[in-house]
């Protein structure tokens, strides 16, 4: 009998690609409420309580299209473009995932305010915060506009954020200075700086389902049996 030796190799190929998500809305929330006028959208500030009437925390809203649970997200980074002024001052800025995506962040909602009892002004105005990462804002004064500041998002809320991106669920990030003297100044939406809007970048990886390979393997085994009977 003629011997037939067949080797079947199944390669689980993971396909990875870069992707990004641009902010759909922003707000700079001051003691009197969200900043009004065109500047309320074109700029995005996180200024500590020492900045008095201009103290603020920033809100960045994302409205993703669902990408499906079959994609794995890694290397998630928030990128902000500096848009600086004479009052810009260095400091660490916390990036917080918050739970309330329903409360309006528009200027008309003056009930949404910076709370001067804490340096960064944010307590729970838009729900409970979870730390995702930090931005090290190093600029003093009106220089470095256009510089990109990045925060690698790896904190306790990252699984929730990933789930929101996968399912197409709106989510919000809050930017709050860690110290009273911080004055982080960034571009919002519609700013005239190039590539200025806040953006999340990440890599998506799709791994074919094991069931697909099992089906292929079963088919190959069937063909092998057929060849043996014919031999």
């Amino acid at each position: 009998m003629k011997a037939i030796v067949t080797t079947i190799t199944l390669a689980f190929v993971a396909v990875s690609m870069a992707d990004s998500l641009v902010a759909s809305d922003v707000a700079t929330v001051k003691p009197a409420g969200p900043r009004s006028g065109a500047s309320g959208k074109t700029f995005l500030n996180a200024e500590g309580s020492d900045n008095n009437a201009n103290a603020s925390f920033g809100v960045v809203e994302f409205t993703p299209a669902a990408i499906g649970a079959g994609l794995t997200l890694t290397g998630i980074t928030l990128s902000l473009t500096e848009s600086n002024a004479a009052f810009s001052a260095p400091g660490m800025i916390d990036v917080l995932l918050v739970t309330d995506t329903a409360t309006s962040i528009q200027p008309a909602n003056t009930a949404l305010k910076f709370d001067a009892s804490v340096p960064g002004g944010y307590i729970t105005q838009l729900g409970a915060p979870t730390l995702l990462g930090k931005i090290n804002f190093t600029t003093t004064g009106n220089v470095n506009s256009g510089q990109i500041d990045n925060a690698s998002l790896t904190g306790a809320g990252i699984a929730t954020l990933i789930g929101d991106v996968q399912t197409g669920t709106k989510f919000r990030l809050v930017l709050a200075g860690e110290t009273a003297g911080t004055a982080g100044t960034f571009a919002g939406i519609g700013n005239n700086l190039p590539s200025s809007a806040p953006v999340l970048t990440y890599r998506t990886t799709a791994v074919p389902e094991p069931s697909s390979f099992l089906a292929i393997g079963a088919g190959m085994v069937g063909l092998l049996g057929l060849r043996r009977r014919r031999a």
Side-chain angles (χ1 to χ4, degrees), residues 2-16:
K2 179 177 164 184
I4 300 175
V5 179
T6 303
T7 301
I8 303 173
T9 302
L10 301 180
F12 287 78
V13 179
V15 179
S16 179

Side-chain angles (χ1 to χ4, degrees), residues 18 38-39 44 51 55 89 105 116 138:
S39 295
L44 174 68
N51 293 279
I105 59 173
T138 61

Side-chain angles (χ1 to χ4, degrees), residues 58-219:
V59 183
V60 187
E61 183 173 285
F62 293 92
T63 309
I67 64 171
L71 293 176
T72 300
L73 274 67
T74 57
I76 303 174
T77 300
L78 174 66
S79 297
L80 302 175
T81 302
E82 293 190 16
S83 184
N84 297 317
F87 58 83
S88 299
M92 296 299 296
I93 298 173
D94 290 340
V95 180
L96 309 169
L97 179 68
V98 296
T99 56
D100 180 357
T101 60
T103 295
S104 173
I105 59 173
Q106 305 312 316
N109 183 17
T110 55
L112 178 61
K113 301 177 184 293
F114 180 97
D115 189 332
S117 67
V118 293
Y122 186 83
I123 301 178
T124 57
Q125 294 95 315
L126 290 171
T130 304
L131 182 65
L132 286 174
K134 297 174 184 283
I135 291 173
N136 184 14
F137 185 80
T138 61
T139 295
T140 299
N142 192 10
V143 295
N144 297 336
S145 285
Q147 176 175 299
I148 306 297
D149 294 339
N150 297 312
S152 179
L153 306 186
T154 59
I158 195 63
T160 301
L161 186 149
I162 289 173
D164 289 341
V165 175
Q166 289 174 327
T167 58
T169 302
K170 180 171 71 175
F171 62 93
R172 286 173 174 169
L173 305 179
V174 163
L175 310 175
E178 291 188 352
T179 62
T182 299
T185 45
F186 305 100
I189 294 173
N191 195 288
N192 59 7
L193 291 170
S195 305
S196 61
V199 62
L200 280 183
T201 56
Y202 49 87
R203 294 200 69 82
T204 56
T205 303
V207 179
E209 295 181 1
S211 58
S212 300
F213 287 100
L214 289 175
I216 294 172

